[in-house]
Structure formats: C-alpha cells, structure tokens
Amino acid sequence: MAKPVMCIVLTQIVLVALFHLCMSSQTKECTSTSSLSPQFYDNSCPKAQAIVQSFVAKAHSNDPRMAASLLRLHFHDCFGCDGSLLLDNSGTIESEKRAVTNVDSARGFEVIDDIKSALEDECPQTVSCADILALVARDTTVITGGPSWEVYLGRRDAREASLIASNNNIPVVSSTFETIVTKFNDQGLGLIDLVALLGGHTIGNSRCKSFRKRLYNHSGNSDRDQTLNQNYASMLQQGCPISGDDQNLFALDYMTPNKFDNYYFKNLMTFKGLLSSDEILYTKSRDSMELVKLYGANEELFFEQYAKSMVKMGNISPLTGRNGEIRRICRRVNH
Ligand code: HEM
Ligand SMILES: *[C@@H]1O[C@H](CO)[C@@H](O)[C@H](O)[C@H]1NC(C)=O
C-alpha cells in the first residue's frame, strides 16, 4: 500500500476511536479540552504569561478588589469562553455588558485593555482576549492566596456577542437551587464543580441591591430570610436600607474579604452567606451541603477541586482552529 493511503487509513482509525471515547465519556470536555494546550504560546509569545501576571499584580496593588472583579469576568465570559463579554456595543453587536448579571457590576475592563495593548506590542495579533481572561482568572486567584493551575490556551475570539445567551445562561442571585444546577449542567459542569466554583465568592463584593430582598421582603411578606443569621442580617441592614443606597458594597466573605481561602464555606455553615444563591448551597440539598462541609473543613481539598473545576469551566465551547479571530482590541472585532 502506498504511504499516503496508509496514512489516511491510520488517521481514520484514530479519529473513529477518539469519537467513540468522546461519546462514551458523555461530557463536553472531550470536544473542547483536546484542542487547548498549556504550551500554546510557548513559541509564538513566550513572555505572554509573565506580562499578564505583572499587570494583574499592578492592578491588585492599586485596588485589592480588582482581583475579584477580574476573576468574575472569566466566569461571565465562559458560558462560551470566547471573549464575547468584552465587546462593546457597535454595529450589529449588542454588548453582553448590558446583561442582567453585568450591568452596573462587571468591572475591570480597563485592566484587560491594558494587558491586551502590552501583548500587542510584544507579539501582535497572537494572544486572544479569551485567553487573557483565562490567565487573569488564575493569576488573581494566586495573588489573593488561592491555588494555582496550568491554564489551557489557544481560544480564539468571537466575532459576535450574545446578550440573549448571556441573560439565559448565567444564573442570577434570585435563581432557585434547581435552576442554578441546571444552568451549570447545561455547560457540562456538575454539582461538584458548582460548589467549588462558587468558592470564588471568597473574595470580592456585592452591592446592597443584590441581596436586599433577603433582609426586608424575602418571600413577599415583608419578612427576613430565615436562613440568614439574625445578627449578621442586622449588621447588613446598617448599610443596606430598605430603599436607597443600592450601590453600597459588602464583602461576599465578611471574615476574610480579600483573601482566597475556605471561609466562604465556613460562613455558609453559620448562615452568614451574603447572597441567596450562596446560602442555598447549604440549605437546599443534602449533597451540596455535604460538599460545603467538606470544603469548610478542608481547605486543601477545596483548592484542589477549585483548580480542576476552573480548568473545566475554561474549556466550555472555545473557538479554535480557524474559527473566530485574534482581536487587536478586546472591545471590538477586527475589520
Ligand atoms: C450561581 C452562580 C453565581 C451567581 C448567582 C453569582 C452572583 C454574583 C453576584 C450577585 C455578585 C455581586 C454583584 C453585585 O451586586 O455587584 C457576584 C460577585 C462576584 N462573583 Fe459571582 N455568582 C455566581 C458564580 C460565580 C463564579 C463561578 C465565580 C468565579 C469562579 C464568581 C465570582 C465572583 C466574584 C469574584 C465576585 C465579586 C466581584 C467584584 O467584587 O467586583 N461568581 N456574583
Ligand atoms: C414585597 O414583595 C411583594 C411581592 O413581590 C411586593 O408586592 C411588595 O410590594 C414588596 N414590599 C416591599 C416593601 O418592597
């Protein structure tokens, strides 16, 4: 048999084998992880990771909250990790920055612009905006005291945004436990991933308006959420009145607000989770309650699972190969 033919036959056997592996594993991982790799920029932009890290360090020292804000951007981009979150309104693009979960609360876009501009100087049109968000999510976790992991790279940037998909796919603070689980499952993330990833709320802030209902009108009868520690609730009321002061900020983890640790879980166990979507991990399901207890008791285990689940979240339907593009400016598509 001639060599080229032999080659094609072999390739086909390998492809069929891979396909069957994918079908039997029943996760989305198979179609996406394989195309990304930690070494993606080793030759084309060897300094990329160091440049991103130095900007994260600078942003964090200027404003300790910025680490949290930047981490959150990766999550909001990632139900489809394609940089679409970063696009501004223009032409046919309806920016995802207007989605319920982003408007008035997603921040840090200027830091991403600065990183992108430094990377364009170093290696033009090489490093995608989606990959910048993935690297930044790791670096912000590390700089606040959390675990590290190898970031898989090679995502390309979307040429469109979807405000509708953002609104549909990302759970909101008032979502029920079942809805949150379903929305994560839809992206190939299970309960173990969900509980570990929500541990990201160990840093950063929420506005009063995101949790006010728990304080004053939880079920529509001018009542307080009974799964909220009463002293903690009274303290929150000081800065979060029944009306007004919508933008007042509160730590998601009141114990160690700027440190990436497992206090988020310890707080849930004493009914001092800030958001309704946080506390229900402890109160609505035995399985998730057990995971909260596990991570609350064992920080190492939390860190290990968080790192794994971040890699998994980062692999949600990336654009690769010839799809999408490498944007020059993260806020708009190339022309
Ligand atoms: C069920 C899923 C989730 C819901 C409902 C949710 C909801 C929220 C809300 C309401 C805020 C406060 C927004 C405001 O009022 O300003 C917030 C902040 C934040 N979220 Fe989430 N979140 C979820 C999952 C995640 C995940 C998976 C991560 C990261 C791994 C994450 C990271 C953060 C961070 C770091 C902040 C603080 C941002 C800052 O201080 O600027 N969240 N989230
Ligand atoms: C409490 O919630 C109910 C139902 O959503 C609403 O009709 C009522 O106006 C709310 N009360 C206050 C004080 O916000």
Side-chain angles (χ1 to χ4, degrees), residues 213 216-217 219-222 242:
K213 206 164 176 289
Y216 302 104
N217 202 7
S219 48
N221 308 314
S222 303
I242 192 159

Side-chain angles (χ1 to χ4, degrees), residues 78-179:
C78 252
F79 281 28
C81 309
D82 59 3
S84 58
L85 170 68
L86 302 173
L87 292 171
D88 283 339
N89 268 338
S90 81
T92 59
I93 288 167
E94 257 194 297
S95 178
E96 295 175 12
K97 295 176 186 177
R98 299 201 175 168
V100 184
T101 50
N102 296 325
V103 74
D104 291 337
S105 80
R107 63 196 284 277
F109 297 107
E110 301 73 20
V111 177
I112 304 299
D113 292 340
D114 291 348
I115 295 174
K116 180 58 173 171
S117 141
L119 288 172
E120 285 300 293
D121 289 345
E122 175 71 20
C123 20
Q125 273 202 282
T126 305
V127 183
S128 68
C129 298
D131 278 349
I132 293 174
L133 289 179
L135 287 168
V136 162
R138 189 263 317 267
D139 293 344
T140 51
T141 301
V142 171
I143 210 164
T144 50
S148 189
W149 61 89
E150 268 200 313
V151 180
Y152 279 73
L153 300 164
R155 299 167 190 80
R156 291 167 65 83
D157 296 322
R159 291 187 46 80
E160 54 210 17
S162 177
L163 180 57
I164 294 172
S166 278
N167 278 329
N168 286 341
N169 296 346
I170 302 173
V172 294
V173 68
S174 56
S175 298
T176 63
F177 179 77
E178 287 74 20
T179 300

Side-chain angles (χ1 to χ4, degrees), residues 144-145 199 202 253 256 259-265 299 302-303:
T144 50
T202 176
D253 164 10
T256 52
K259 187 162 187 323
F260 200 106
D261 55 21
N262 67 340
Y263 268 95
Y264 170 78
F265 299 104
E299 185 175 75
F302 161 50
F303 279 8

